[in-house]
Amino acid sequence: MAATNRDYYELLGVARDCDEATIKKAFRKLARQLHPDVSDEPETEIRFREVSEAYEVLSNAETRALYDRYGHQGLRSGGFTPSHVDISGLGDLFSAFFGDDIFGAAMRGGRSRQRGADIAAEVEIELVDAARGVTVPVPFDAAVACTTCGGDGVEPGTEPIRCDRCEGSGRVHQVSRGIFGEFVRAQACPVCGGRGQIVEHPCKECDGAGRVIESRTLQVEVPEGIHDGQRIRVTGEGHAAPRGGSAGDAYVLVRVRPDPRFVREGNDIYSQVDLTIVQASVGATMTVETLEGPTELELPPGVQPGEVRVLRGRGMPVLQGFGRGDHRVLVNVSVPRRLTDAQRRLLEEFELASDEHTYRHDDGFFEKLKSAFR
């Protein structure tokens, strides 16, 4: 769910029809102004996260199209979850844009560590499981820290040596001169790849990568009321990062299998009960299936086809909220297609014995029929 309901284009200060380059340029400018290590303004961190969320949505063609069409509600329905913004780890990103020391304290902590990549997985559940919540096993392959070297990629018993090119900083600076003066550009050291160290004896188990691929099974808690196509984010269960950085996240796409007994519309459940003309005429007690199991439904004499009986609070739970939807049962009356001679005579006798009081002409029939689909 989105963390802010403010208009994303307004947050970035761009027009709704702007191109991707304009969005990126606006985000860079605002990030330079709003980063907490640069600005002392109140609530800077909150504003920075809002801008980051806006950029995350608008820089992706798929989420931008969803937002343009349906707004924040469309993102929520589509299962969009804004990424966790690690402010302290953005130093390398912005120093590449604006110079090495722009964030002061953020850069004094040394080389920032990379974050591990995210993992995408998919799981299928039944509609009744979506109604009551369920914990499901999700198997996947993930990069994990090598247990032999502890994730640093160095063969046990050996030590890496300090890189002479960058003097152990992992970064090199290039100075260029122009008509506006000197410009200093920082980049990762090409010799050590930004590590500040050179590994002469890489770990044999992981070939110096510091990570190995492992098959894992994650127990994912699916909340009650979840909709088909929504994603669940499990923080820190993605790929391990190189050289000890934080692990990525796991995003589990939940598919809810269609149930032939029900139709779901939002938090309401729809089903149908079939009556004979005799049952509809004299009344009947019918067993209907619900999400919580079979229940008895009393239908009075003279119930009409197309009527809807509502079982209050027997629908889907409200996701991350309170209460439940309703279960709406549509009454269908089956008319016999084939009659024996005896059955035909009985119906003809019934018709002869009927008068204008026998039948009730309900002017609201079509309204009742339409209400089943509202």
Side-chain angles (χ1 to χ4, degrees), residues 115-366:
R115 178 180 176 274
D118 295 332
I119 288 177
E122 183 174 324
V123 65
E124 279 192 344
I125 63 173
E126 302 294 340
L127 181 63
V128 292
D129 292 329
R132 63 193 177 197
V134 65
T135 300
V136 293
V138 181
F140 59 92
D141 293 333
V144 299
C146 175
T147 56
T148 301
C149 64
D152 60 9
V154 181
E155 181 70 16
T158 67
E159 294 289 339
I161 61 175
R162 180 172 177 268
C163 177
D164 293 332
R165 175 70 174 84
C166 63
E167 298 181 346
S169 68
R171 307 179 69 81
V172 293
H173 301 79
Q174 292 182 343
V175 180
S176 59
R177 292 178 174 83
I179 59 175
F180 298 106
E182 294 185 347
F183 295 87
V184 179
R185 184 166 65 93
Q187 62 182 17
C189 175
V191 176
C192 65
R195 296 186 61 171
Q197 298 174 328
I198 297 176
V199 179
E200 293 185 314
H201 303 284
C203 173
K204 296 177 182 177
E205 181 68 23
C206 62
D207 292 329
R211 299 180 295 172
V212 294
I213 301 299
E214 180 180 278
S215 296
R216 303 171 60 191
T217 298
L218 183 65
Q219 298 296 326
V220 177
E221 294 184 6
V222 180
E224 58 181 30
I226 195 167
H227 293 259
D228 177 59
Q230 289 188 310
R231 294 187 304 168
I232 298 174
R233 177 185 176 188
V234 186
T235 305
E237 293 293 344
H239 293 296
R243 300 187 294 279
S246 60
D249 299 332
Y251 288 88
V252 181
L253 176 67
V254 178
R255 309 303 312 198
V256 180
R257 298 187 188 98
D259 192 312
R261 301 171 299 171
F262 310 114
V263 173
R264 179 181 183 179
E265 288 292 339
N267 293 319
D268 288 340
I269 292 294
Y270 294 80
S271 66
Q272 178 176 295
V273 61
D274 295 317
L275 304 179
T276 66
I277 57 174
V278 176
Q279 290 173 319
S281 300
V282 302
T285 299
M286 304 296 295
T287 300
V288 296
E289 291 291 335
T290 71
L291 294 172
E292 299 171 348
T295 189
E296 299 297 318
L297 179 63
E298 295 284 345
L299 296 169
V303 65
Q304 299 296 300
E307 285 192 21
V308 176
R309 298 291 164 168
V310 181
L311 303 176
R312 298 293 181 188
R314 303 294 290 271
M316 295 292 293
V318 178
L319 179 64
Q320 297 179 342
F322 300 97
R324 300 174 68 102
D326 298 327
H327 185 150
R328 301 177 183 273
V329 182
L330 176 66
V331 176
N332 178 54
V333 178
S334 299
V335 177
R337 295 178 180 271
R338 296 180 180 179
L339 297 173
T340 65
D341 292 338
Q343 291 170 333
R344 186 182 299 278
R345 284 194 301 271
L346 289 172
L347 287 177
E348 290 173 348
E349 291 176 7
F350 171 77
E351 183 67 20
L352 290 173
S354 301
D355 56 25
E356 67 272 12
H357 301 293
T358 304
Y359 296 97
R360 182 185 67 187
H361 297 286
D362 193 347
D363 295 333
F365 168 76
F366 290 107

